[in-house]
Amino acid sequence: MIEPTKRQESTPVGSSRKKAIRLIRSGTAVLLFAASFTTLYGQAPDTSKTADSKSQLSPQEQSVRRDQAYVRALLEKGSSDAKVEVSLKLTSRFTSFNPAGDFHAYALGLISKERKTLQPAKQVQGSSGATQTASAPAISVSASAPSGNVTGPSNPVGINSVKASQESTRDSAPDTTPTSTDSNQVAASNPSPAVFGGGILLPSVSAPSNGGGSVQAPSAGASSNSPVVSAASGGSSQTESSSSGTFNSDQGPGPGPIGPGPGCNLFPAPPSVGASVPLTYFGPSPSETNPSLVGPVQLLKSGTLDAAHGTITLPLYLGHMKGSKKNVWYILTDVDDPNVAAELGLNFSAKLTFASRAARTANLDADGNLVFDKGTVDFSPVRNIVPGPAGAEFPPISAQPGAVGDADYSPFVQVLNAAGVIYNAPIVAFGVDASQINFPSGNVDYSKVHDEVVAIDPVNQTVTINLINGFSFGRPVWYISMDTSIPLGAAIEHNTFAPLMAQLHLGGDDSFSSPIERIFIGTNGPESGACNNPQRQGLSADLADGHRPNNVLGGIPTIALDYSPAWDAQLFEWTKDAIENGFRGQVREEFQILTFVQDGLITGPGGKPFGSSGFSINCPIVQRLD
């Protein structure tokens, strides 16, 4: 057994870096839901059997299953064998397991197998007709309601109609400009589970510490595995369509920010493009003189960035639980004291001072290590996402977070015997020894470690975490996503369900006592063409292709003074008129979105008033890319 010494526990080594990092490419993208979604998906199903069976699969077997599901999804959309093979090569991890293997033969084998599987399904589909509609989801409300009015939804999330002709051309006509009209609209006959925003809040479903938190929207009077036919998909079986999302179900961090196309890679082009001189003739970036000017700026300075792979390697800290003495492995990203932030290379957030109601507490012991009073995380659940039918992937049919905190868990920690300073200290492993989480080169056991971890090295005390694409006031940024206050959001984000985060006061933005900053998340942005579409954005795109949704963050350091890693999720929806008139595109900054809301082009989900969606996400900023 490998145990760190006391000196290692108190003084993590942030400079050590293992270069042989295996990127785990599962799928799903960044983001989430609202507390109202949680209540409307019904009771948590028994996933113990699924968890047991998946936990016994090797990483290679899980990778093959993911590839099978992805091939099936593309075949269901009518993609040719050649296109399936090309698309699969962008996401498959076949070469990492078989460096000298024949990928072409591997792809053809999967295509042949899945075509045979689909033939009986298509025959059944043809004989069943296309006149059925999806049943309404079961509704179950549990846990205590938040303060304020509790209002139920009156309309489904999404647009009122979708043209069958649009759906039929979705695979062949990529949405590459703001004027295109891809079919990621939700038909009125395909009920979705909620409307939220504009102050409409519903209580969250609590998740038990034994791996609960799974939420599902089964059809009324039928099991969750029963075929459900959606008018939005032209009468195709929703069970068949939902298989397109099984590649979103793997544990692990999912794809990094260096995607296969412009819709999944926000890294700016060099200034030498189109110029008459090479890049070597250009002077240094203006940001080197003034961080607020154009150019890259690393904001979370405590870690080492790997721009080639889109990861950051941070110091790994070891603390303990009061009483049980169990190990608590965590990272530090933000703090509400500017001097501490400068000393440790963390992000400074003045707003964290107002997060005390949502912070667990701790004290420094004689060795300088944190001893936490409360707050544990169970990393054993198996993360699972089943998107909705093609063109209406959001909201998903079911969702299970891969890590579940107890009622006292929040990533925020107030150190009582150190001036009451509040840190952002997400837990990445709990109750395990160093020898159980020693994965310096990847192959991480996600039943013991946070899903966003790419590699973890308790000997050298470092942990490598995947970065995520986003925008802040028009500038591309990278951030990490660690915790969410509702289980559905945690499932989509590949992160930990943190119930204590629900105590954060939302909706205040930059007012006195507000601990949050706003993050803007599209539900029905441009989707067709996947990562090849430079306008790609939103949760349906995220759940359809497995890459992140390109969310828009509010203020970050060097741009504004109101940064907080606790982001108040504000989901938005393009209106039917905006889509039909070709006004929908990729949005990149807060006031652009707010102007579109004012102009009537964007609303809250389901046409409701735009505003807080009732949940928050812990997303520390890492780097501004320009």
Side-chain angles (χ1 to χ4, degrees), residues 267-282:
F267 208 89
S272 56
V273 173
S276 60
V277 294
L279 183 60
T280 53
Y281 277 56
F282 285 80

Side-chain angles (χ1 to χ4, degrees), residues 25-29 66 247-250 254-255 383 494 545-547:
R25 301 179 64 89
S26 64
T28 200
R66 173 194 173 282
F247 61 88
N248 279 308
S249 295
D250 292 346
R383 178 185 171 277
H494 299 246
D545 58 41
H547 289 266

Side-chain angles (χ1 to χ4, degrees), residues 47-223:
T47 59
S48 58
K49 293 182 180 179
T50 302
D52 290 342
S53 61
K54 286 196 71 176
S55 63
Q56 296 174 1
L57 295 177
S58 68
Q60 184 172 4
E61 290 171 328
Q62 292 185 31
S63 176
V64 171
R65 287 197 174 189
R66 173 194 173 282
D67 288 351
Q68 289 174 334
Y70 189 38
V71 167
R72 180 182 176 88
L74 293 173
L75 291 175
E76 285 173 344
K77 294 179 181 180
S79 299
S80 65
D81 289 4
K83 185 173 182 179
V84 170
E85 182 176 350
V86 171
S87 300
L88 180 63
K89 194 168 186 179
L90 294 174
T91 61
S92 176
R93 294 174 54 237
F94 172 82
T95 54
S96 63
F97 293 111
N98 306 276
D102 186 344
F103 179 82
H104 177 65
Y106 170 71
L108 291 182
L110 291 182
I111 293 170
S112 176
K113 180 180 178 180
E114 294 307 316
R115 280 202 182 280
K116 292 178 181 178
T117 304
L118 285 174
Q119 287 176 354
K122 291 182 178 179
Q123 292 173 359
V124 172
Q125 176 185 333
S127 62
S128 62
T131 59
Q132 303 178 45
T133 57
S135 302
I139 299 178
S140 174
V141 177
S142 62
S144 60
S147 60
N149 295 330
V150 177
T151 309
S154 58
N155 292 303
V157 172
I159 314 300
N160 291 330
S161 63
V162 59
K163 297 179 181 180
S165 61
Q166 289 177 323
E167 179 61 35
S168 65
T169 59
R170 181 172 176 267
D171 188 58
S172 58
D175 184 356
T176 57
T177 68
T179 59
S180 61
T181 54
D182 66 298
S183 62
N184 58 343
Q185 303 163 328
V186 182
S189 58
N190 179 27
S192 302
V195 180
F196 47 85
I200 298 177
L201 300 176
L202 289 175
S204 300
V205 172
S206 60
S209 60
N210 63 353
S214 174
V215 284
Q216 200 167 29
S219 59
S223 70

Side-chain angles (χ1 to χ4, degrees), residues 273-358:
V273 173
S276 60
V277 294
L279 183 60
T280 53
Y281 277 56
F282 285 80
S285 170
S287 61
E288 293 186 18
T289 300
N290 183 341
S292 67
L293 298 178
V294 172
V297 178
Q298 182 173 346
L299 299 166
L300 182 57
K301 298 180 176 66
S302 60
T304 302
L305 276 168
D306 182 345
H309 295 99
T311 62
I312 185 170
T313 299
L314 295 167
L316 175 66
Y317 293 86
L318 175 59
H320 299 90
M321 285 299 299
K322 182 178 180 180
S324 69
K325 309 296 183 184
K326 288 185 177 180
N327 289 341
V328 182
W329 303 89
Y330 64 97
I331 59 174
L332 295 175
T333 59
D334 309 87
V335 64
D336 70 341
D337 185 301
N339 295 320
V340 175
E343 178 187 10
L344 299 180
L346 307 180
N347 293 316
F348 166 62
S349 171
K351 286 184 173 181
L352 277 183
T353 298
F354 303 119
S356 57
R357 292 185 68 248

Side-chain angles (χ1 to χ4, degrees), residues 467-485:
L467 298 173
I468 298 169
N469 287 318
F471 299 102
S472 176
F473 290 96
R475 302 187 183 188
V477 298
W478 280 348
Y479 61 94
I480 60 176
S481 183
M482 302 303 294
D483 311 88
T484 306
S485 65

Side-chain angles (χ1 to χ4, degrees), residues 6 14 33 85 132 187-188 229 296 306 346 367 396 525 591 608:
K6 289 185 177 180
F33 298 53
E85 182 176 350
Q132 303 178 45
V229 178
D306 182 345
L346 307 180
D367 295 319
F591 289 102
K608 292 296 181 179

